[in-house]
Amino acid sequence: MPLINTLGMKVGSEKTFGAGYNVLPVWKKRLDPKTRVTTPNSDVIYAMSYLDLGRDGRMVFEAPPGLQGILLDFWQRPIPVDGGKFFGDVGLPGPDGGKGGKFLILPPGYTGSVPSDYYVYRSGTNNVFVFLRSFYQDPNDLSGAVATMEGARIYPLGATSPKPMEIPDASGKPVNMLPISDATAFDELKKLVDSEGSNLADPDWLGMLAGLGIVKGQPFNPDAGTRAILDKAAKTAYRMSRVIGFEEKLAGRDFRVYPDRRWVNPVADGTPQNPGGPFDLAWRRTADGYTDLDTRIWFFTDYYSISPGMLSQIPGKGAKYMIAFTDSRGTPLSGDKNYSLKLPPDVPAANFWSVTLYEAENASGYASGRPFPSLGSRDKPKQNADGTTDLYLGPKAPTGKDANWMETVPGKGYFAILRLYAPTEAAIDKSWKPGDIEVVE
């Protein structure tokens, strides 16, 4: 799933916006439901790019000040940085601390000389996913956050005449960047095998692909019958992942953030950094000696990208996410029903908080006909006299509650993500906790 998730984003993006290290689509008017991608955040400015170190060689990423980003290999593993103190993060949570700088991305097994004055990242795959975010304070003025993105530069190390950057506006463009769920997934895996060889996976995984006829340097031309089987297999696999992705308990573990709430987060047990060792996550069962595949499937059917900066336990850094698939009674959320969600006073987010709705079927932004499927602190919802905030989810706004209402569509299931950006101590120690999503009778 992490690999297929990345491939879906790459294929969809390049089909719509073009390919190349110099192509950096930016959602300059925020990311709306027309872009179909796994759980996007419509309350920041996004940019994404895809590099091939095997084709283009060592790459330089120049980050402007104020950026927050992640450099990941195609398995969405944060790329380790020379020195062992950082994994994947660039910008605010990275080694530059948000001041900007030059980041050198090296291909697998590179042993040559490394120039000074770069932050050096060593990728496990030739293909690299560049995921960037910038922040705004006023939803009516995105210019500063967009300008930050437009200041990014990507080019081969030592290039005397690199291709000029192309930064198309991706907002409002119909594009499918979801995980590939048909037979073309295997065609894209064949391209990766040809690009990566043994960098892509260990001999067992490569052997599984070889059993399907996917071998580096050899033709992959399945007949019509085989292709029909592969198509059904891909569709079934994605549906399986969506079922796994709705579980509150999995592989003997309870994902609930609070014992008496329905909010879940499968990476709450991840550690931001394991000094001297690899980045540790909920699915790496180091003590038991195996990878918890179900938990990893859960994550990459519901999310993409992760890094130590996202899991920071330092007040005022990173972010806290929690997901609600059900109401307080454990019933899946339905667009037919009316719900309320109460947030206690003093939401512990130094930057901002938001609630965003997503399609149950594919985890993309919930298409309700409204511009964005989110509502948060910067939208200035009305507070109650006691400092609490009541949000309302349903097909029609309660009388006088339009500022606190999120529209849903009858017959269309969904789930909700509560995000706390720059969470403060009350979020980290869990002394602050939101109410459950409650049915309004």
Side-chain angles (χ1 to χ4, degrees):
M1 275 307 298
L3 195 66
I4 295 297
N5 190 308
T6 318
L7 278 174
M9 291 189 287
K10 175 181 185 290
V11 170
S13 176
E14 293 184 347
K15 185 181 297 184
T16 305
F17 305 115
Y21 64 78
N22 61 316
V23 178
L24 182 66
V26 175
W27 282 260
K28 299 180 183 181
K29 302 177 188 68
R30 301 164 60 185
L31 199 152
D32 59 52
K34 289 184 178 180
T35 297
R36 301 176 70 208
V37 67
T38 310
T39 54
N41 184 349
S42 56
D43 293 295
V44 298
I45 299 299
Y46 270 3
M48 305 179 203
S49 185
Y50 311 88
L51 313 181
D52 186 344
L53 307 177
R55 180 188 62 208
D56 298 318
R58 299 167 293 171
M59 299 297 297
V60 176
F61 168 61
E62 286 191 18
L67 193 72
Q68 179 170 321
I70 312 174
L71 304 178
L72 305 113
D73 70 17
F74 253 45
W75 284 97
Q76 298 205 37
R77 297 172 297 201
I79 298 175
V81 184
D82 277 5
K85 293 183 179 181
F86 293 91
F87 294 83
D89 289 308
V90 299
L92 295 169
D96 62 309
K99 298 178 182 178
K102 294 183 179 180
F103 301 81
L104 177 61
I105 311 169
L106 300 176
Y110 180 82
T111 58
S113 60
V114 177
S116 59
D117 301 326
Y118 290 86
Y119 300 107
V120 179
Y121 290 61
R122 297 180 183 269
S123 179
T125 58
N126 283 320
N127 289 271
V128 171
F129 173 38
V130 179
F131 176 42
L132 309 176
R133 286 169 287 184
S134 60
F135 301 94
Y136 58 86
Q137 292 302 319
D138 182 354
N140 297 311
D141 183 6
L142 309 178
S143 58
V146 171
T148 295
M149 286 298 193
E150 292 177 335
R153 296 289 180 268
I154 304 174
Y155 52 87
L157 179 68
T160 55
S161 55
K163 299 176 184 177
M165 292 295 296
E166 297 179 16
I167 306 181
D169 184 357
S171 293
K173 306 290 194 304
V175 52
N176 183 1
M177 297 169 62
L178 290 167
I180 304 172
S181 57
D182 60 22
T184 61
F186 298 94
D187 300 309
E188 294 303 327
L189 285 170
K190 175 60 167 70
K191 294 176 186 177
L192 266 187
V193 169
D194 286 342
S195 173
E196 299 286 354
S198 60
N199 298 322
L200 185 63
D202 65 25
D204 284 358
W205 284 109
L206 291 176
M208 290 183 177
L209 292 176
L212 300 176
I214 298 175
V215 180
K216 181 176 182 178
Q218 297 184 16
F220 175 61
N221 298 306
D223 58 31
T226 302
R227 182 163 287 276
I229 293 172
L230 294 176
D231 193 66
K232 291 179 180 179
K235 287 179 167 62
T236 300
Y238 184 63
R239 289 168 183 161
M240 289 171 63
S241 79
R242 297 304 305 141
V243 172
I244 291 171
F246 270 70
E247 295 294 325
E248 290 184 353
K249 298 180 181 180
L250 196 64
R253 298 173 57 229
D254 191 335
F255 290 160
R256 287 179 297 179
V257 178
Y258 314 97
D260 59 345
R261 296 287 192 272
R262 309 306 306 213
W263 296 97
V264 298
N265 182 345
V267 297
D269 295 333
T271 54
Q273 192 171 312
N274 178 13
F279 179 53
D280 201 11
L281 292 167
W283 49 84
R284 181 177 290 148
R285 302 296 287 266
T286 305
D288 299 314
Y290 68 90
T291 298
D292 179 353
L293 290 177
D294 276 353
T295 299
R296 193 174 72 174
I297 290 166
W298 193 109
F299 187 89
F300 287 104
T301 193
D302 284 330
Y303 277 116
Y304 65 87
S305 82
I306 192 164
S307 73
M310 293 177 66
L311 295 181
S312 173
Q313 300 297 311
I314 302 172
K317 302 289 185 180
K320 285 286 185 184
Y321 301 163
M322 56 191 83
I323 308 176
F325 294 114
T326 72
D327 62 26
S328 61
R329 300 174 294 188
T331 303
L333 301 174
S334 170
D336 304 82
K337 296 181 180 179
N338 293 301
Y339 303 93
S340 65
L341 167 61
K342 185 178 288 293
L343 302 179
D346 303 318
V347 179
N351 194 342
F352 71 91
W353 63 262
S354 68
V355 175
T356 308
L357 306 185
Y358 296 98
E359 305 269 353
E361 181 180 12
N362 55 35
S364 189
Y366 193 67
S368 66
R370 298 175 74 83
F372 304 105
S374 66
L375 181 65
S377 54
R378 293 175 304 189
D379 299 306
K380 297 180 171 50
K382 293 181 180 178
Q383 288 188 347
N384 302 316
D386 62 359
T388 61
T389 303
D390 289 317
L391 303 183
Y392 300 92
L393 296 70
K396 293 183 179 180
T399 303
K401 306 294 185 182
D402 291 69
N404 293 42
W405 171 59
M406 305 182 73
E407 184 175 3
T408 63
V409 179
K412 182 184 287 191
Y414 65 94
F415 61 93
I417 297 183
L418 171 61
R419 290 179 171 89
L420 309 176
Y421 267 91
T424 56
E425 187 64 40
I428 294 170
D429 66 18
K430 300 181 183 180
S431 59
W432 181 93
K433 59 183 177 182
D436 276 325
I437 295 176
E438 303 277 357
V439 175
V440 177
E441 303 293 351

